[in-house]
Amino acid sequence: MSSFNPPIRTLMGPGPADIHPRVLQALSRPIIGHLDPAFQQMMEQLKTLLRQALMTNNDITFPISAPGSAGMESCFANLMEAGDKVIICRNGVFGARMQQNVERMGGIAIMVDDPWGEAIDPDKLRDALKQHPDANLVAMVHAETSTGAISDVETLVAIAHEHDCLTIVDAVTSLGGSPLKVDEWGIDALYSGSQKCLSCVPGLSPVTFNQAALDRVTARKTPVQSWFLDLNLVLGYWQGDGGRSYHHTAPINALYALHESLTMLMEEGLENAWARHQQHHQALRAGLEAMGLKFQVAQAQRLPQLNAVMIPDGVNDGEVRAELLNHFGLEIGAGLGAGAGKVWRIGLMGYSSRRQNVLTCLAGLETVLGRLGVIETGVALNAADKAYSDN
Ligand SMILES: Cc1ncc(COP(=O)(O)O)c(C=O)c1O
C-alpha cells in the first residue's frame, strides 16, 4: 500500500465542486484544540460570515459537523415531534428524502407533488394547507439538485406563515449561487452544504434557526430523538454563553476551510457571486444550444449552477461520462432518480463556475458527441465565446 494521490479532475457535476487553492491551503494549517481560545475566536468569525452569506441576523447560525443530509435531519429532529403533520413540497429527489425523515421520526408527511424539472407550485401548497389546517410545518427545497429547478421560496414561506406553519428550507445548492435572503423571506429554519457553491470540502452543513423556530424547540413535549443533532446540546459548544463545553470533536481543519471559503465569498460580494453563476450559465447554455442540446428545465425556473441537459436519443450515458472523465479529466453528473439515463447534470458551482470549466466542458461534449454524429460540431466554443463578449 502506498499514499493515495487522486487524479486531477475538473468537477462539473452536482457537487462536490472544485475547491479553490486558498481553501485547500487553509485545510493544511496546523491543528489546534477545538476549545483553544484562538479556535473559539475563529468560530465566532465563522458564525458572523455565515450570517452574512445567509443574509440573516439569526443568533443561532452555525455549521453542523456533518453533511447536508445531517442539516436536513437536524431541522426535522428539532422542529417536529411524533404525530406532527408536516407538508412537504416535492419536485425531485430531495423532497422525497424529507418525507423519509418525517416518517422515520413518527410524523405524518403530507406530500404536495410537482413534476420533476418544474418549480414548486404555490397554489398547490395553498390548497394543501387549506385541506390540512392541523399541519404545523412546511418544508421545501430551494434549488432541486436532482433536476436543476429553482422555486420561489419567498412566496412559499409567506403562504406557510398565513397558515401558522413554520418553514424548513433546503438551501444546499442555492447558498452562494442564487439569491437567498433568510430574514427578508422570513425563513424559520434552513440548512445548506459546504461542497456546492461555497466550494469547500464536503461534510459541513451550515444551519440557521430564527426565534420562532427556537420557541418551537423550547416548547417541545418530548426530547429531540437524536442526541448528536439536539440543538439544546450542540449549542453548548457553538453558542458558549457562559463558557463553551465539549459536545463532539469539531472537524477543526474543515472549519478553517469553511472560514476561508466564506471569506472569499464576502470578498467577491454575494451579488457578484450570483451574477458570476449566471454569466457562466449563459455561456454554457449558448454552447450547448448551439450544438443542439436541450435543457430539461424551462429558462425561467432554471438554476444557473445546475444544468440538467437532455441526453440525445441513442447515446449511452455511461460511455460518454467515462470518456469525458478519462480523456478530459472532466466529471459531469448522471441523472438522479427519474432523471437517470435521461439527463446529464452539469454543475457550475462555486469555484467550478468559471470560463475555463465552461470551455473544457463544451470542448469535451463536442468531441465525444460529435464523433457519435448526434450534434452539430464546430459551433459550441464560438457561441460561448460570443456569450462572454456580449455579457
Ligand atoms: C438539495 C440537496 N439537499 C440535500 C443534499 C444532501 O447533502 P449531502 O450530500 O451533503 O448530505 C444534497 C446533496 O446533493 C442536495 O443537493
Side-chain angles (χ1 to χ4, degrees):
M1 210 67 88
S2 56
S3 310
F4 175 63
N5 284 299
I8 305 291
R9 303 282 197 222
T10 299
L11 295 186
M12 295 183 70
D18 287 341
I19 299 181
H20 193 281
R22 262 177 70 178
V23 177
L24 287 174
Q25 262 170 11
L27 261 182
S28 66
R29 290 183 190 140
I31 191 160
I32 57 176
H34 65 117
L35 290 169
D36 187 308
F39 191 72
Q40 294 189 27
Q41 215 177 359
M42 195 280 304
M43 289 165 73
E44 285 307 304
Q45 290 176 5
L46 194 46
K47 290 193 293 181
T48 302
L49 286 163
L50 273 178
R51 287 187 196 106
Q52 290 168 352
L54 290 163
M55 301 186 71
T56 180
N57 290 318
N58 287 343
D59 201 27
I60 308 304
T61 304
F62 67 99
I64 289 186
S65 305
S69 305
M72 180 188 287
E73 200 147 337
S74 153
C75 287
F76 287 106
N78 283 282
L79 293 186
M80 61 157 281
E81 295 186 65
D84 282 356
K85 207 180 240 193
V86 183
I87 295 193
I88 298 170
C89 304
R90 172 172 57 184
N91 61 342
V93 164
F94 293 97
R97 286 203 184 172
M98 290 174 157
Q99 176 183 17
Q100 291 191 25
N101 268 274
V102 168
E103 290 176 351
R104 280 171 187 242
M105 291 176 199
I108 303 158
I110 306 294
M111 304 308 291
V112 179
D113 279 305
D114 278 296
W116 285 41
E118 290 184 20
I120 297 165
D121 180 349
D123 287 334
K124 286 193 187 164
L125 173 60
R126 237 180 238 115
D127 289 347
L129 284 161
K130 279 185 204 142
Q131 275 174 34
H132 299 280
D134 51 341
N136 63 12
L137 199 54
V138 171
M140 66 200 74
V141 178
H142 186 202
E144 239 313 336
T145 328
S146 59
T147 66
I150 189 157
S151 291
D152 179 358
V153 161
E154 184 176 17
T155 300
L156 297 166
V157 167
I159 294 169
H161 286 170
E162 281 165 19
H163 294 263
D164 296 325
C165 286
L166 291 186
T167 49
I168 293 177
V169 174
D170 176 319
V172 170
T173 287
S174 53
L175 175 58
S178 299
L180 172 64
K181 304 179 178 182
V182 169
D183 286 0
E184 198 179 310
W185 297 353
I187 296 168
D188 299 293
L190 173 145
Y191 60 92
S192 186
S194 46
Q195 76 276 26
K196 310 255 183 185
C197 298
L198 296 182
S199 304
C200 186
V201 284
L204 294 171
S205 178
V207 291
T208 188
F209 296 87
N210 72 6
Q211 192 54 50
L214 289 181
D215 291 346
R216 169 87 51 101
V217 179
T218 315
R220 290 180 65 93
K221 294 184 203 76
T222 53
V224 174
Q225 47 87 292
S226 160
W227 180 89
F228 184 65
L229 298 171
D230 184 345
L231 267 189
N232 299 301
L233 304 179
V234 75
L235 289 180
Y237 179 58
W238 273 98
Q239 284 312 95
D241 307 326
R244 284 196 163 84
S245 55
Y246 166 69
H247 174 262
H248 64 279
T249 308
I252 296 163
N253 294 54
L255 292 173
Y256 299 163
L258 184 60
H259 184 285
E260 191 68 20
S261 57
L262 289 167
T263 301
M264 291 183 63
L265 181 61
M266 289 307 130
E267 284 170 5
E268 179 177 18
L270 279 179
E271 297 199 348
N272 293 334
W274 302 335
R276 174 170 52 83
H277 283 86
Q278 267 301 340
Q279 184 201 17
H280 294 296
H281 159 70
Q282 291 305 343
L284 180 73
R285 171 196 166 195
L288 294 172
E289 288 181 347
M291 284 191 263
L293 294 172
K294 305 236 172 328
F295 279 79
Q296 183 188 16
V297 177
Q299 175 69 47
Q301 304 181 347
R302 203 177 284 167
L303 278 169
Q305 60 272 48
L306 196 286
N307 298 266
V309 179
M310 309 302 297
I311 300 176
D313 286 345
V315 170
N316 183 308
D317 166 30
E319 279 174 21
V320 171
R321 283 186 296 103
E323 193 171 340
L324 291 175
L325 195 67
N326 296 331
H327 298 171
F328 291 82
L330 172 68
E331 178 184 288
I332 64 167
L336 197 57
K342 297 192 187 125
V343 294
W344 287 309
R345 291 179 304 148
I346 305 179
L348 285 170
M349 300 179 181
Y351 187 52
S352 289
S353 189
R354 60 201 154 107
R355 193 170 183 148
Q356 180 183 323
N357 284 19
V358 169
L359 299 179
T360 303
C361 179
L362 291 174
L365 282 172
E366 185 170 60
T367 308
V368 179
L369 297 178
R371 191 182 328 110
L372 297 174
V374 292
I375 53 146
E376 186 153 345
T377 52
V379 284
L381 292 173
N382 286 345
D385 194 51
K386 181 166 181 316
Y388 281 120
S389 340
D390 292 349
N391 293 301

